[in-house]
Amino acid sequence: MAVGQEARAEGAAGREVSSGASAAPPGAVEPPVRGVLATLAHDRWVHVMLGLLVLLAAGSYVLPLVADLDYARQSSAVLQGPSASHWFGTDEFGRDNAVRVLVGARSSLQVAFGAALFAMVAGVVIGLVAGYFRGPADAVAMRVLDVLLALPEVVLALVIIAVLGNSGLNLVIAIGVAFVPVFARVTRAGVLALREQDFVVASRAMGARSPDTMARTVLPNVLGPIVVQFVITAAVAVVVSAALGFLGLGPEPPTPSWGAMMQTAKSYLYQNPWYGVAPGIALIVTVLCLDRLGARVRIALGVEHSGAGRGGRR
């Protein structure tokens, strides 16, 4: 009985960081990275989802080069249905939809992960500073984030693109800014739970500068929710990127994107329904893989709750 109680106590101590009651030594990271990686390495669903994403990403870059597939090559086979030579049929210019869907994954994944990375870096910095120092910096940062949260992601991205112009980089920035408040709030919540813990106070008492304490002691202990939020934000960013592409923003023609393909396909639904179904299926599979991958990472890290979308709402 004593052994079982001790094991349960150790398990509870390993989850104290996410619940805001940590007894870890200075600079400790919970849960251990090796344990998390081992858990994910033995998860079959993680293998499946990562495999699909890797195949999609690698195929969008490698397959068109190896197989000499040109997404802009036109032919007389206009709006044809699926066949052995054109798996997803052809578009209004006779271009192969399967190749265009595959190449469209390139821009979708680039924008999604680029925007998630931008939002994570900016949001973590804001959340660290606001949560650690509190006071006026915290109040100003939270009010600015409240203003950003009041606007839907697509609307905010449209405003930013209208100011900066339509380009791949500006699209990443526009979508990334929309998700900065999520990372800032997740980081700030973790910092507020840790800033008065013994190991953080000890770090300050030993003469460590505030940037060192934040980067080496506080940040490693709040990385779990941040990593989970990164994966989930990438999934939502794929949808936002497709929505903006549907509105005519994104790569310039003839470079394909899933949103632009679905926007054009709505005019040819009766001639070739697969024109719009194919990029829709690719979008659904990608989002589901990223969302479920985020859920498995959350379980492995022992994070109790992690919101999807903005404001921490799932």
Side-chain angles (χ1 to χ4, degrees), residues 13-96:
R15 295 189 296 269
E16 285 178 346
V17 170
S18 60
S19 63
S22 174
V29 180
E30 295 287 351
V33 175
R34 290 183 179 179
V36 172
L37 293 178
T39 301
L40 294 176
H42 289 85
D43 193 323
R44 294 181 179 179
W45 281 109
V46 172
H47 296 168
V48 173
M49 291 176 287
L50 276 180
L52 288 174
L53 292 173
V54 169
L55 284 176
L56 187 63
S60 65
Y61 285 95
V62 177
L63 189 59
L65 297 177
V66 175
D68 191 24
L69 300 176
D70 185 3
Y71 62 83
R73 181 183 300 162
Q74 301 182 14
S75 69
S76 59
V78 177
L79 296 174
Q80 297 296 310
S83 64
S85 56
H86 304 289
W87 290 0
F88 294 155
T90 59
D91 64 6
E92 72 276 19
F93 296 109
R95 298 173 298 194
D96 190 286

Side-chain angles (χ1 to χ4, degrees), residues 25 29 37 39 50 68 84 103 116 152 169 172-173 191 217 258 271 274 282 287 306:
V29 180
L37 293 178
T39 301
L50 276 180
D68 191 24
V103 175
L169 179 60
V172 169
I173 295 174
V191 174
T217 304
W258 292 340
Q271 292 90 333
W274 276 94
V287 172
S306 181

Side-chain angles (χ1 to χ4, degrees), residues 112 153 175 179 231-241 287 290 308-310:
E153 297 96 329
I175 298 176
F179 292 101
V231 180
I232 298 177
T233 298
V236 182
V238 172
V239 179
V240 177
S241 174
V287 172
L290 287 171
R310 304 174 69 202

Side-chain angles (χ1 to χ4, degrees), residues 108-274:
S108 297
L109 294 178
Q110 283 179 344
V111 171
F113 282 97
L117 181 62
F118 176 90
M120 182 180 68
V121 173
V124 167
V125 171
I126 294 173
L128 270 176
V129 174
Y132 188 82
F133 291 106
R134 299 298 302 272
D138 183 30
V140 171
M142 291 303 102
R143 299 297 76 76
V144 173
L145 295 180
D146 288 341
V147 173
L148 295 178
L149 285 171
L151 297 173
E153 297 96 329
V154 176
V155 174
L156 182 58
L158 285 173
V159 172
I160 296 174
I161 292 176
V163 174
L164 299 180
N166 183 24
S167 69
L169 179 60
N170 292 342
L171 192 62
V172 169
I173 295 174
I175 298 176
V177 169
F179 292 101
V180 167
V182 183
F183 287 96
R185 288 180 174 274
V186 168
T187 306
R188 176 178 177 270
V191 174
L192 289 177
L194 293 175
R195 66 189 301 269
E196 299 302 331
Q197 294 297 317
D198 292 341
F199 65 93
V200 178
V201 175
S203 177
R204 291 197 296 260
M206 293 170 61
R209 298 181 303 171
S210 295
D212 291 336
T213 301
M214 287 189 293
R216 298 181 180 181
T217 304
V218 178
L219 179 58
N221 287 280
V222 296
L223 276 180
I226 294 173
V227 171
V228 175
Q229 190 62 53
F230 174 83
V231 180
I232 298 177
T233 298
V236 182
V238 172
V239 179
V240 177
S241 174
L244 293 175
F246 190 88
L247 296 175
L249 302 175
E252 295 293 333
T255 304
S257 69
W258 292 340
M261 290 182 66
M262 287 187 284
Q263 195 279 336
T264 306
K266 66 183 179 64
S267 302
Y268 304 99
L269 290 178
Y270 293 104
Q271 292 90 333
N272 182 13
W274 276 94

